[in-house]
Amino acid sequence: MDLRLPDELIALAAADALDGRGARRRDEDTTRPSVSIAATGEPSRPSVFPRHDDLLDRVAEWGRADTPAGVFHLVPTRLERDLPLISRWMNDPAAAAFWELSGPQDVTEDHLRTQLAGDGRSVPCIGVLDGAPMSYWEIYRADLDPLARHYPARPHDTGIHLLVGGVADRGRGLGGLLLRAVADLVLARRPSCARVIAEPDIRNTPSVAAFLAAGFRFSAEVDLPAKRAALMVRDRVLRHLL
């Protein structure tokens, strides 16, 4: 008899090598793409394209959301198109304090590349509002992430990370509006998902406030390897009440 473990159990077994954002730890290189050596002897890094699989029900096909601020949609990240912009956002002091991806562009590149070359449990995206790229997102399977060791995870729990990129877009309530829109997209496009999860740093008061404004409830404080986090939950059954 040919026995085979379900794909999601195989994926979960690989979670030990992931960091708290759903990406590989910087000191873990077991899944880095292979590097070819050109005739000059210099390594060349292969291009990485977004994966199209079912671990997150095809984020690229989730469609657009109408919000009070305009039409919003998620576009899966492409390194050659988006890396300079995301790296610039990560070097803003307000972002660097919590994302810890400041520095040379290859710091951000490594973070993106490990997700794009992975099994599809974490999808980095650019948030586009009325045609303008203005935010960075990671949509990830919280139940397949190391985060699942720190709270009572349920199958298909879906996590969200958000960075509002431009300084001019902060402090206007956009975070709450867009978090609500994306959580609604998750629940609409992932019928197997009963909850949307987030774990902002407990010190990041504006982020926690944005999740509360988006209809998330504060569930608990959790100690993660890199931070003490506020576990925020948006329940499908309460989505029309909060």
Side-chain angles (χ1 to χ4, degrees), residues 16-240:
D16 284 346
L18 298 179
D19 68 17
R21 294 193 185 94
R24 293 279 167 182
R25 297 192 303 262
R26 294 184 197 173
D27 60 350
E28 173 58 63
D29 62 1
T30 57
T31 61
R32 290 181 184 273
S34 60
V35 177
S36 61
I37 305 298
T40 60
E42 295 293 325
S44 62
R45 304 185 79 174
S47 296
V48 178
F49 297 93
R51 294 176 58 92
H52 298 285
D53 50 47
D54 291 327
L55 284 181
L56 281 159
D57 297 299
R58 301 180 183 273
V59 175
E61 300 174 9
W62 284 4
R64 300 169 185 265
D66 291 324
T67 80
V71 178
F72 180 81
H73 66 287
L74 294 171
V75 179
T77 299
R78 295 285 292 270
L79 278 178
E80 64 274 19
R81 179 192 64 204
D82 302 320
L83 177 59
L85 178 63
I86 297 172
S87 180
R88 185 168 76 247
W89 288 343
M90 291 298 179
N91 275 281
D92 180 276
F98 297 106
W99 283 81
E100 300 181 350
L101 291 173
S102 61
Q105 187 168 279
D106 60 3
V107 175
T108 299
E109 180 179 357
D110 287 345
H111 180 75
L112 294 173
R113 189 176 289 272
T114 49
Q115 293 178 82
L116 296 172
D119 59 9
R121 76 179 68 187
S122 182
V123 178
C125 297
I126 292 290
V128 179
L129 182 63
D130 279 345
M134 50 73 64
S135 52
Y136 172 72
W137 300 73
E138 290 171 354
I139 312 299
Y140 68 99
R141 284 286 298 272
D143 60 326
L144 301 180
D145 189 86
L147 175 64
R149 304 191 194 104
H150 301 274
Y151 82 103
R154 298 177 188 171
H156 294 280
D157 278 355
T158 303
I160 293 178
H161 296 134
L162 164 63
L163 169 63
V164 176
V167 174
D169 288 323
R170 300 176 195 160
R172 300 167 45 199
L174 282 178
L177 287 176
L178 299 182
L179 285 167
R180 182 179 291 273
V182 171
D184 285 344
L185 282 173
V186 171
L187 296 173
R189 305 303 182 189
R190 303 205 68 233
S192 56
C193 170
R195 304 187 302 178
V196 184
I197 304 296
E199 22 73 40
D201 193 302
I202 195 70
R203 300 169 299 162
N204 192 347
T205 304
S207 180
V208 174
F211 280 104
L212 290 172
F216 286 72
R217 59 181 173 85
F218 173 79
S219 177
E221 290 188 21
V222 293
D223 287 313
L224 303 179
K227 65 184 178 183
R228 185 164 181 80
L231 182 67
M232 311 297 296
V233 178
R234 184 149 190 233
D235 303 277
R236 177 181 293 278
V237 295
L238 298 178
R239 69 189 185 281
H240 298 306

Side-chain angles (χ1 to χ4, degrees), residues 2-24:
D2 183 16
L3 297 177
R4 185 177 185 277
L5 288 173
D7 289 341
E8 292 188 358
L9 287 181
I10 294 173
L12 184 58
D16 284 346
L18 298 179
D19 68 17
R21 294 193 185 94
R24 293 279 167 182

